[in-house]
Amino acid sequence: MAPETFLPERDVPDLCGKVIFITGGTAGIGKQTIINLAKHSPSHIYFSGRNYMSADAVIAEVKTAAPDTKLTFVQFDLGSLNSVKEAIAKLEIPRLDILICNAGIMAVPLGLTTDGYEIQFGTNFLGHALLIHLLLPTLLQHADEPNADPRVVILTSQGFSAHPVGGIVFKNLRTVQNSPMAGPWIRYGQSKLAGLLYARELAARYPSITSTSIHPGVINTGLVTNLSKINQWMIYLTNVGKSITEDEGTHNTLWAATSNKSGIVNGEYYEPVGQLGKHARESKNNKLAKELWEWTEKELQPYVA
């Protein structure tokens, strides 16, 4: 489907009875995704973030557009695995139909998460991997019912192609991974490659769940405007004429989360809107995907026992 032909008002189906969880829902395309989904009458949308005031503003705005959709804010920090674990442990979700891993950071300075992982990898990938693991039983609970259609959508980026040699440098994931040239983008690419590969492996291991990774497009959100001027210009110059609005940036997510699954290849990577993405370097490396899954399971063990 060409980007200009997808219209959420027309192409997102009735979501009556659906329960949705989306991360990073207090701003940017996460917030806009919630608004677009809420207009199609899901029974409940859970959304995460770190700021209660921002969450209250989102709830108020959604209630104006879709007063019958129930919203619940779940506060946690993806850069802290304990934060994710504790928040989900307090949550009582009777069912879950759609999980959208939307939150992320981009090309940030050197740093580590509270658990000691490279900050972009820990936030963009590992925090989401734990969330998926913790919510997997709920996603699977109704998967065998007639008309059941559980889905996981992981937001990645064309920037995955900037990943380091070998794809993921496992031995250095507990370091800041300082690189003299384009370091922030290499680390970002590694984190986004991980999300793409994880979706592939999730689909292979749990075929009853439709799992995809998607590139939302190049959007002028806080992810871009919070970058250094040099990095902002790098994005603008390499994407001349390709920038889209915040609302348009939700379309590929909405397509992957709600369109007829007969048109979706489970485990694949998609670019806007609903187009099989261009793979590069390690993005179709099934051996690496399996290695990432096994490494992740080991790292998350203290938080899921």
Side-chain angles (χ1 to χ4, degrees), residues 168-186:
I168 297 170
V169 187
F170 291 99
K171 65 179 182 179
N172 291 338
L173 289 177
R174 281 187 171 273
T175 73
V176 295
Q177 294 191 332
N178 193 11
S179 301
M181 296 290 291
W185 294 108
I186 292 172

Side-chain angles (χ1 to χ4, degrees), residues 1-12:
M1 181 179 292
E4 63 273 14
T5 65
F6 185 91
L7 297 174
E9 295 82 3
R10 179 194 66 201
D11 296 319
V12 174

Side-chain angles (χ1 to χ4, degrees), residues 152-163:
V152 173
V153 181
I154 299 175
L155 271 71
T156 181
S157 166
Q158 288 176 333
F160 78 80
S161 61
H163 66 71

Side-chain angles (χ1 to χ4, degrees), residues 89-133:
K90 296 174 185 175
L91 210 57
E92 293 184 6
I93 306 181
R95 68 174 294 135
L96 181 60
D97 299 281
I98 302 168
L99 172 58
I100 301 173
C101 299
N102 165 83
I105 56 177
M106 181 170 68
V108 298
L110 294 170
L112 299 174
T113 66
T114 58
D115 307 294
Y117 298 96
E118 190 283 313
I119 192 165
Q120 293 191 76
F121 191 87
T123 303
N124 293 345
F125 171 68
L126 200 55
H128 278 125
L130 176 57
L131 181 67
I132 292 169
H133 190 114

